[in-house]
């Protein structure tokens, strides 16, 4: 009897939150043929939204910001603009170790709550993963070796150990459920900035073929061994020089849903700004052109300028390029909470000299916030 009552309550609850709508008019198909129906809905929704504007994204927005950590409902973006970003970026580094907190001290259980809250508001969640070096136990940035990727591929000495790490990653994704127990669809931007040489999966650390094998092995394991089907997969290079360069390590259209790149404005001279504009524009051109050809969703995986020193960055530097190429979203990196990183922030905060420029950027019809993507 109790069981029956529980079942009835569950059915009513699920109808109330309309968790299981299906839409037969979906034209974009995620690469995972067994993807949950809401993954296909999310993918198609992102394409539709991209016709109306560019979603604003911010890394770790609900977890902390400049000068604060772990305050429910708080957000540097909301404190400036009155609304949450449409895209929430979160970071999985150290999930592979079975840790309770990620490498930036965010508790993984709280993170699941951030995912639930953002997606219940209609927001989109994307994950990065600065996983540790599985061969040395060092960080992602421990890239002195060029055998790490080879050692975790099938037949390698660290393969079994790495599968344990993937098990923990999979368990996290499998735990992402809404109030009705339905899997929450999210984007996984894995092994990012691989055309650079600062992570153990980077271009100086493995061959193009090894990188592709790493990608395919990870994805196949998550999908087929672990039954993770609530992910869209994002491929995000660092500064690419050409389409050929961008695709040199590309695992193939059948393994990628979302195409992006990460590129920052580094340095403060006029030459640095000019170089950033040139590089950012070229990368966005490469990504949007290949996305068009392959039917994928183009994004800017990460960008910004540390400490937002140029108070016209958003409207003066970024906006004209974004307007021309129209990626689905642009994600700004984190506003660090750590007292020893006072200048490590990529969006302003209330009272910062670039606040007005950021607000003007957000107020343009091109930029979409959480209110604009409400379900
Ligand atoms: C980097 C920096 C680090 C951080 C890492 C993962 O870009 O922000 O401080 O630990 O990302 O979020």
């Amino acid at each position: 009897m109790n069981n029956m009552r529980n079942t009835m309550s569950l059915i009513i609850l699920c109808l109330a939150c309309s968790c299981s709508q299906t839409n037969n008019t979906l034209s974009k198909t995620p690469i995972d043929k067994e993807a949950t129906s809401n993954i296909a809905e999310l993918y198609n929704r992102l394409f539709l939204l991209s016709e109306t504007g560019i979603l604003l994204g911010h890394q770790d927005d609900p977890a902390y910001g400049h000068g604060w950590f772990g305050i429910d409902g708080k957000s540097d973006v909301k404190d400036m603009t009155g609304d949450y970003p449409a895209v929430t970026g979160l970071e999985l580094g150290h999930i592979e170790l079975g840790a309770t907190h990620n490498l930036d001290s965010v508790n993984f259980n709280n993170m699941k709550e951030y995912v639930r809250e953002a997606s219940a508001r209609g927001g989109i969640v994307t994950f990065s993963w600065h996983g540790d070096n599985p061969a040395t136990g060092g960080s992602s940035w421990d890239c002195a070796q060029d055998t790490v990727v080879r050692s975790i591929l099938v037949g390698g000495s660290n393969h079994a150990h790495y599968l344990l790490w993937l098990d923990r990653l999979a368990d996290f994704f499998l735990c992402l459920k809404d109030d009705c127990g339905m899997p929450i669809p999210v984007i996984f931007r894995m092994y990012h900035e691989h055309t650079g040489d600062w992570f153990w999966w980077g271009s100086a650390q493995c061959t193009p073929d090894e990188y592709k094998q790493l990608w395919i092995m990870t994805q196949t394991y998550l999908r087929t061994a672990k039954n993770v089907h609530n992910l869209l997969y994002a491929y995000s290079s660092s500064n690419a020089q050409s389409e050929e360069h961008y695709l040199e390590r590309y695992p193939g259209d059948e393994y990628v849903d979302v195409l992006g790149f990460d590129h920052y404005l580094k340095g403060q001279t006029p030459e640095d700004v000019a170089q950033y504009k040139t590089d950012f524009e070229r990368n966005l051109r490469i990504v949007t052109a290949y996305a068009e050809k392959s039917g994928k969703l183009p994004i800017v995986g990460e960008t910004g300028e540390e400490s937002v020193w140029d108070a016209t960055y958003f409207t003066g530097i970024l906006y004209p390029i974004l307007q021309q190429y129209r990626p689905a979203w642009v994600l700004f990196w984190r506003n660090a909470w750590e007292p020893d990183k006072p200048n490590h922030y990529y969006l302003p905060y209330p009272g910062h000299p670039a606040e007005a420029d950021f607000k003007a950027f957000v107020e343009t019809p091109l930029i979409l916030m959480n209110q604009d993507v409400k379900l």
Side-chain angles (χ1 to χ4, degrees), residues 59-60 64 91 103-104 128 130 141 264 302 333-334 338 341 344 346:
Q59 183 74 5
D60 280 348
Y64 57 79
E91 163 61 37
L103 76 168
D104 302 315
S128 51
H130 290 78
W141 293 270
Y264 289 88
E302 294 176 28
W333 201 240
R334 68 193 197 106
E338 297 95 315
K341 294 190 173 75
H344 193 55
Y346 294 84

Side-chain angles (χ1 to χ4, degrees), residues 149-170:
V149 171
R150 205 176 320 141
S151 82
I152 60 178
L153 295 176
V154 179
S157 56
N158 292 315
H159 181 65
H161 169 58
Y162 199 65
L163 292 189
L164 178 66
W165 283 16
L166 293 183
D167 287 344
R168 292 174 176 147
L169 177 72

Side-chain angles (χ1 to χ4, degrees), residues 28-33 43 46-47 50 219 232-235 246-247 250-260 286-299 326-328:
K28 293 285 183 182
T29 319
I31 49 154
D32 181 356
K33 298 295 169 258
Y43 198 38
L46 284 166
F47 277 98
S50 73
Q219 192 179 96
L232 291 173
Y233 289 86
Y235 171 91
Y246 184 72
L247 296 177
Y250 185 58
D253 289 347
E254 64 276 40
Y255 296 103
V256 174
D257 298 295
V258 177
L259 294 170
I286 293 168
V287 165
T288 51
Y290 189 70
E292 178 74 34
K293 269 191 265 181
S294 58
K296 309 289 178 192
L297 188 81
I299 61 152
R326 313 286 299 252

Side-chain angles (χ1 to χ4, degrees), residues 20 24 27 36 39 84 86 90 111 115 131 134 141 182 187 200-201 240 242 244 260 287 306 313 315 339:
S20 53
N24 295 327
S27 62
T36 53
I39 259 289
Y84 292 109
L90 293 168
M111 201 181 288
V115 174
W141 293 270
M182 289 289 285
I187 291 98
W200 57 258
W201 56 86
S242 61
E244 194 190 5
V287 165
E306 192 176 40
Y313 168 75
T315 59

Side-chain angles (χ1 to χ4, degrees), residues 58-136:
H58 189 211
Q59 183 74 5
D60 280 348
D61 192 76
Y64 57 79
H66 186 75
W68 62 273
F69 185 91
I71 302 177
D72 275 356
K74 190 167 166 68
S75 143
D76 279 353
V77 169
K78 185 163 185 276
D79 285 350
M80 288 183 288
T81 67
D83 196 4
Y84 292 109
V87 174
T88 300
L90 293 168
E91 163 61 37
L92 290 166
H94 290 182
I95 193 78
E96 71 282 1
L97 307 178
T100 53
H101 294 71
N102 81 356
L103 76 168
D104 302 315
S105 309
V106 179
N107 179 286
F108 285 115
N109 283 332
N110 293 344
M111 201 181 288
K112 289 175 197 160
E113 200 49 46
Y114 301 143
V115 174
R116 271 193 290 272
E117 284 168 5
S119 59
R121 294 195 303 258
I124 287 97
V125 177
T126 174
F127 282 98
S128 51
W129 182 29
H130 290 78
D132 273 1
N133 181 320
T136 66

